[in-house]
Amino acid sequence: MEIRIISNSSPPNSKSQPTNNTDEPLVKKQGPSSGNPISRFTDAVLGCFGKLLSKKKLDGGIRSEEEEKVYSWLHTLAQTERNLVFEYVRSTERGLSFSEADARRREVGQNAPHDQTFRSWWQILWNAVLHPFIVILIVLSALSYLTGDNDSGIIMLILVFITVSLRFYQEFNSSKAAMKLSELLKSPVKVQRCAGRYIQTELVVQVDQTEIVPGDIIHFSPGDLFPGDVRLLTTKDLVVSQSSLTGESGTMEKIGDIIEDPSTPLLELRNICFMGTSVVAGYGTGLVVSTGSKTYMSTIFSTLGKQTPPDAFATGVRRISYALICIMLVMVPIMTVLDYYASHSWSEGILFGISVAVAITPQMLPLIVNTNLAKGALAMAKDRCIVKSLVAIQNMGAMDILCLDKTGTLTMDRFIMVHHLDSWGVPQERVLRFAFLNSYFKTELRNPVDEAVLAYTYTGGYKFGSSKWRKIDEIPFDFTRRKVSVILETDLENIDYRNGNVDCSRLLITKGALEEVLKTCSFMENIDKGVTSPLYVEDCQRILHMGEELGNDGLRVLGISIKRMESGGEEAMNKETAESNMRFLGLLCFFDPPKDSAKQALRRLAERGVKAKVLTGDSLSLAIKVCKEVGIRTTQVITGPDLELLDNETFHDTVKKVTVFARLTPTQKLHVVQSLQKAGNHIVGFLGDGINDSLALDAADVGISVDSGASVAKDVADIILLEKDLNVLVASVERGRITYGNTMKYLKMSVVANIGSVISLLIAITCLPYEPLTPMQLVTQNFLYNLGQIAIPWDRMEEEYVRTPQRWSHKGLPLFMLWNGPVCSIFDTATFIFLWFYYDVDKPSQSGFFQSAWFVEGLLMQTLIIHLIRTEKIPFIQDVASWPVLCSTFVISSIGIAIPFTPIGRVMGLTNLPLSYFGFLVVLIIGYFFLGQVVKRAYILVYKKWL
């Protein structure tokens, strides 16, 4: 635990504190959505909620009772004096003691939104039972009992039991794995606690956000997320993003030392920050007033529910499910009537119709989909890649554009300082001195550049007397100004000026992007001559040209400037006036070496159909230099200021062509990602780890961050890389495509087999004077067939398939069914004709033999179809399935052939089959694979893809 001592003070105030009116839970806890077992703290915040509500005012209109309580509570605190706020939440200005925090945590529970707790075993079981297809089976089983067909009812209940058990087993194991993985995603928060039995000492410690309780005092800086609803205490240039609540990319300035007006809308309160919102710039302290389910964000969720918009795949699966149910509703009455004319019994007809409904229902669909996703998540975890949203696995397979920041992804993110030059490119120690003082006294958002300056100074043996300076104030870095300033003070005799009289001991030192620093300067120093001269336009152009040349050599260039300030003046309070009329000192040059693995990883991604685009805030020349070294094309490049000048149509065309975007603001990164998604119809991934990447990460189809990234970046991301290595992404893309491919195998196979089987039954029952299969036989056949498909998630995919982005096509599945469904029916019909003419099954006395033959043939065809559909190649010759699929096929086929010869077969009304029939089946199956392969090649020739 990191501990920093702030100060010593007297024993704590012993006055009793009034309790707030939110001691009782405002909302009931609910389980998370079933599709996301690895969700963490603000995954609930930045889903569709912000987008869903971005078009209407969150704190307007009719509010629920729970929302009204939280609304009133936060408004009351916003209008209350600071000292009284401590009374309301039972805290003090020192914060809580460790024992008080533990006791309060036991009282209010862990700090997590209502849908962030992992589901209990009974919730997972209940979710498995409530799937629509399982409910249909249960209803059909009940109807079977009511109509007297107890055997069919038992078989259907056994199928329900096995399906629910397998789904429960998979999801329960996935949930346990998610709990273990979630331990790797701790979000530390700096909280002030007091310790000591007699003399209280205030400490700042880092604790996980789940351990925060009401009454804690937190310290925050850029990149931090607010772990609860917070009443601000002290602030310095604080700017907060509330996009997690509003869905808008704008920011809002917050002020701690203010009393709000009662008429101010909730989300416009300047002294209140909400759970899940993030710090963009500035720093300060705040008092946590609500946590967990009592926060405003959680109360909103309890009213609206978190409904993440389904992606194309989930939408497609849902549509197919509804289509099959519609087909079932049409076919069941038809089959019931036709069976009645064959059996002359309405009870038999109803039972047969129910059995057909079971045959159409793809009972294993939820199990196969969830098993595929869970297996993919666990496999990616072994590759040091944590999946927070299971939907992201499918999107990884469909991703065709990867946007990434330069720093830390293409480069090592370990800066090395190489030059400190004056305005004429001459090395000067004076430039390094003020750069050192800026980095040394800077406290907010310390970055690798500051570390490089300090390391260069210390290792070079420079002694700049930092102990002689005192920090007065700081103007923090933000991504609009792109610079940071510190105000220092020292005794007059310690100031070393060679160019003019010194009548003050206070100095403003600014360091930042070269062009931004030059904008604030009106003068420049000639250090060798010891004079200061006006900074003309020609000088700016010369300095910028020099910086561009250094950037072309792969160096990152920053500017450094200074300004004398009056002691006790008010100028420092305004950063616009403070950072003006400054004196330009020189340039700082840094080298961030490209990663050795980046070029290989980008090449492998390109081979798999994923194009890379670089979105960076660095200079264009530096971005081009790095991109050339890692193999990214730089023929089409643009900067953020140039993008601002484009109209919408030109903007979209430019974004489509350009591969390198430089000098982008966070909002511009967001707009580029959105343009690629909407205008370009791409599935976009975004890899970033900084505060400035958070908006784009949230908007991307797949947001990817790293474990060492900023808290806000990790919390909005769908996938967290535990290693900053692009090769991990390559493996994740492949895993996503394997997961998608195996799911599509089952979907296409089940649609073709089920629909083909029902068509064949329709033909048979129309021609025969008896049922082609009894309800018990039909349900048993369907049960064995579905049991054999459990091994599909463990199948392999062809290398050619993995090399191409895989997207859901709404037309793909219906077309696939129209092409391949008749193939099954043709060979079922061939079997029917063979049995009719060779074995004379047109008489009711031959019903047992026909049903036995039809049972075995149908089961073998449905079981073997997976080998035809799973590959574009010739099955068993050019490509062989994985051993789990082969074993499953062998076991189910053997059981199907053996059943007619067993006592179980006698109970089901089946009889022994002659050896000649099995010879016919061999010829039939060979013919089926031959014709199926011909249709497959024709389909691929027309549509250029198979799965």
Side-chain angles (χ1 to χ4, degrees), residues 7 37 127 217 232 259 275 285 287 318-319 337 404 417 472 517 600 627 635 648 668 718 739-740 802 881 906 911 945:
S7 62
N127 186 68
I217 296 176
L232 296 175
I259 302 298
M275 177 187 236
T285 61
L287 179 66
R318 185 175 60 188
R319 288 178 178 175
V337 172
L404 42 86
M417 188 171 182
I472 304 301
V517 171
Q600 177 192 14
C627 289
T635 53
N648 282 341
Q668 287 174 330
D718 302 302
T739 299
Y740 177 84
V802 176
R906 300 291 181 270
T911 62
K945 67 177 301 183

Side-chain angles (χ1 to χ4, degrees), residues 261-376:
D261 188 86
S263 62
T264 305
L266 185 64
L267 292 183
E268 296 178 17
L269 295 175
R270 290 176 294 170
N271 58 2
I272 297 289
C273 291
F274 302 94
M275 177 187 236
T277 58
S278 58
V279 180
V280 175
Y283 52 93
T285 61
L287 179 66
V288 178
V289 297
S290 301
T291 59
S293 60
K294 299 179 183 179
T295 60
Y296 177 70
M297 178 266 294
S298 291
T299 307
I300 292 293
F301 280 141
S302 70
T303 304
L304 300 178
K306 184 197 174 195
Q307 298 294 330
T308 303
D311 61 353
F313 179 81
T315 303
V317 170
R318 185 175 60 188
R319 288 178 178 175
I320 290 298
S321 301
Y322 291 157
L324 289 175
I325 291 175
C326 291
I327 293 173
M328 179 182 67
L329 294 176
V330 172
M331 293 299 298
V332 167
I334 296 175
M335 289 294 189
T336 300
V337 172
L338 290 175
D339 187 83
Y340 167 75
Y341 283 108
S343 64
H344 303 290
S345 171
W346 278 114
S347 61
E348 285 292 323
I350 293 173
L351 284 174
F352 186 76
I354 291 172
S355 302
V356 170
V358 174
I360 296 176
T361 304
Q363 296 93 349
M364 290 295 168
L365 178 61
L367 176 65
I368 295 295
V369 172
N370 289 332
T371 301
N372 263 319
L373 293 176
K375 185 174 179 294

Side-chain angles (χ1 to χ4, degrees), residues 842-901:
D842 56 324
K843 304 177 181 63
S845 60
Q846 293 293 317
S847 62
F849 176 80
F850 179 87
Q851 289 167 351
S852 301
W854 191 271
F855 175 86
V856 173
E857 183 268 344
L859 181 59
L860 290 178
M861 295 290 283
Q862 288 183 324
T863 303
L864 291 171
I865 193 175
I866 178 61
H867 297 277
L868 182 65
I869 288 181
R870 63 170 297 277
T871 176
E872 295 183 6
K873 300 176 182 178
I874 301 175
F876 301 111
I877 298 175
Q878 294 180 327
D879 189 74
V880 181
S882 63
W883 69 265
V885 175
L886 290 173
C887 290
S888 172
T889 301
F890 176 77
V891 170
I892 298 300
S893 299
S894 300
I895 293 174
I897 293 172
I899 280 181
F901 301 93

